[in-house]
Amino acid sequence: RTRSSMDHGGSHDEVPSSAASLHKATPPTDTAQQEAQRKATGGYATGDRVQVYSNSKKEWLNAVVLEAFETRREADGYSVPVGTLKVSSMAGIKWIRQDQVVSTVRKRS
């Protein structure tokens, strides 16, 4: 499939938390890759502990960045744009476009 993960009017895909627990972030060991991810996503890299706003729960949830996309590529059957974050929280997996990162993701305090 080459469908964008964001084809649904800007909505984000979420899956049940049981499926989210099966996903683990593997932080890049290459510092240059981490820097590229942070530049593309507004400051985030794979493995970062963050908070994500859950539309369904109407609250900020602790989460981890499963994948930060510093380049456009295929992932999970989707063509994912540069700057997208894939995060996991107790609400499930959420795909966040670059233009929504500022309002949807924040550093964990």
Side-chain angles (χ1 to χ4, degrees), residues 56-72:
S56 60
K57 296 192 177 294
K58 304 292 185 221
E59 65 181 321
W60 289 93
L61 303 173
N62 287 337
V64 65
V65 177
L66 295 178
E67 206 162 350
F69 293 84
E70 74 278 10
T71 59
R72 180 180 192 95

Side-chain angles (χ1 to χ4, degrees), residues 46-60:
T46 300
D48 283 356
R49 292 174 175 256
V50 297
Q51 287 191 318
V52 63
Y53 188 76
S54 171
N55 296 322
S56 60
K57 296 192 177 294
K58 304 292 185 221
E59 65 181 321
W60 289 93

Side-chain angles (χ1 to χ4, degrees), residues 57-108:
K57 296 192 177 294
K58 304 292 185 221
E59 65 181 321
W60 289 93
L61 303 173
N62 287 337
V64 65
V65 177
L66 295 178
E67 206 162 350
F69 293 84
E70 74 278 10
T71 59
R72 180 180 192 95
R73 65 181 187 272
E74 294 285 321
D76 297 341
Y78 296 103
S79 176
V80 181
V82 171
T84 299
L85 293 175
K86 179 181 177 184
V87 300
S88 174
S89 72
M90 65 180 240
I93 304 295
K94 190 167 189 170
W95 295 84
I96 305 164
R97 291 188 316 232
Q98 183 182 34
D99 64 340
Q100 296 177 326
V101 168
V102 172
S103 62
T104 311
V105 180
R106 65 187 185 190
K107 303 276 186 197
R108 221 186 270 190

